[in-house]
Amino acid sequence: MMDENKQINNTSQQLGEPTEVKQAMKSDSPAQINFNESGSEVTEQVASQANVSGDAATINAETGVPATDNTGVETAALAELTQQIESLKTQLEERSTQYMRIAADFENYRKRTSKEKEELETLMKRNTILELLPVVDNFERARSHLKPQSDGEMTMHKSYQGVYKQLVDSLKRLGVSPMRPEGQEFDPNLHEAVMREPTDEHPEGTVLEELVRGYFLGERVLRHAMVKVAAPKEDTPSTEEDQSSQAFS
């Protein structure tokens, strides 16, 4: 046994191993074995830290950006984002203005088309009613001229008067109303003068008689009334001759 230890010592000296290693190799105690295990753990931790440092250096080398320039890069990126936001805000305002303009144009178009539609409907109604008014005029002429004497004539009279009343009621539902110009002052916007009658009983320009009835369609004139208008009464020729003879005498 002693011979084996001497051989190990000689071998260790030749290899240049430390004394602690020699003693550890000589000793078989558990404490010395634990010391060796702790040393290996420290060695592994140092190696792992060295590897982490090497990885970080590799990352910096790949990015090519020094750590001191990170703040400048972030500032430039922030400035670029701010510029993009301002550009988007400008575009949004332009689109909003364009949308409001289009909405206003559409609203004007809607109102204009609605008004044109109403005017077209009124024009069609006006033209249709104007075609029916001569029928109403004939009914009124017949009522004023016919004087039923017998029962048969009275029955016929009542029959066509019922048709006339039905026609007038239909026109009223459509917004048609008759004019009543007798006794009013002549208005060229409502009346059409077809006759003049000299008289002292009414002022000049007074409507004496409605020859053809006028009608309103709502508030508009559907048909002008044909009327006879009062005119100043002229002097007789005899009076003028007397005045001229007195002037020469």
Side-chain angles (χ1 to χ4, degrees):
M1 188 64 164
M2 295 292 292
D3 295 333
E4 291 178 357
N5 290 331
K6 289 179 180 180
Q7 291 178 359
I8 290 172
N9 290 330
N10 295 328
T11 304
S12 299
Q13 290 177 357
Q14 292 176 0
L15 296 175
E17 293 180 353
T19 306
E20 292 83 1
V21 176
K22 294 178 182 180
Q23 293 176 357
M25 294 176 65
K26 292 178 181 179
S27 175
D28 293 335
S29 64
Q32 292 176 351
I33 294 173
N34 291 334
F35 174 79
N36 293 332
E37 292 177 355
S38 299
S40 63
E41 291 177 357
V42 172
T43 304
E44 291 178 355
Q45 292 178 358
V46 172
S48 62
Q49 290 178 358
N51 291 332
V52 171
S53 300
D55 294 338
T58 303
I59 293 173
N60 290 332
E62 291 177 354
T63 55
V65 178
T68 56
D69 294 341
N70 288 337
T71 304
V73 172
E74 292 177 356
T75 304
L78 181 60
E80 183 178 357
L81 290 175
T82 304
Q83 185 178 1
Q84 292 179 359
I85 292 172
E86 294 297 330
S87 177
L88 291 175
K89 286 183 179 180
T90 304
Q91 293 180 7
L92 179 61
E93 291 178 358
E94 292 177 356
R95 295 296 185 274
S96 299
T97 304
Q98 185 178 5
Y99 170 76
M100 293 176 64
R101 188 181 298 110
I102 293 174
D105 292 339
F106 177 77
E107 182 66 18
N108 294 332
Y109 170 77
R110 187 186 65 81
K111 291 181 180 179
R112 184 172 63 255
T113 53
S114 178
K115 184 178 180 180
E116 291 176 355
K117 182 180 179 181
E118 291 178 359
E119 291 178 352
L120 181 60
E121 291 178 353
T122 302
L123 181 61
M124 294 176 62
K125 184 189 296 186
R126 174 188 177 89
N127 293 336
T128 303
I129 294 173
L130 284 174
E131 294 293 330
L132 296 176
L133 290 182
V135 180
V136 179
D137 296 337
N138 291 331
F139 270 110
E140 292 179 349
R141 293 190 187 98
R143 185 179 61 178
S144 61
H145 288 88
L146 294 178
K147 304 294 182 182
Q149 301 295 329
S150 62
D151 293 340
E153 292 178 352
M154 182 61 67
T155 302
M156 186 179 297
H157 178 75
K158 289 180 180 180
S159 177
Y160 80 79
Q161 285 299 317
V163 176
Y164 168 73
K165 185 177 183 301
Q166 184 178 2
L167 179 60
V168 171
D169 291 340
S170 298
L171 293 176
K172 287 181 179 179
R173 286 193 294 270
L174 293 174
V176 180
S177 58
M179 297 181 184
R180 304 296 182 184
E182 291 89 348
Q184 298 179 3
E185 185 179 358
F186 176 79
D187 186 354
N189 296 320
L190 304 176
H191 313 138
E192 181 179 353
V194 295
M195 292 182 63
R196 288 171 61 88
E197 181 178 344
T199 179
D200 293 335
E201 297 178 358
H202 301 280
E204 182 181 2
T206 303
V207 177
L208 300 178
E209 184 181 356
E210 184 182 30
L211 302 177
V212 178
R213 179 164 294 178
Y215 292 93
F216 292 105
L217 179 59
E219 297 180 355
R220 297 183 179 182
V221 176
L222 178 62
R223 187 177 73 178
H224 291 76
M226 296 183 181
V227 297
K228 180 169 62 176
V229 183
K233 193 172 183 180
E234 297 178 356
D235 294 335
T236 59
S238 60
T239 305
E240 293 178 356
E241 292 178 356
D242 292 341
Q243 291 178 354
S244 60
S245 62
Q246 290 177 1
F248 285 106
S249 60

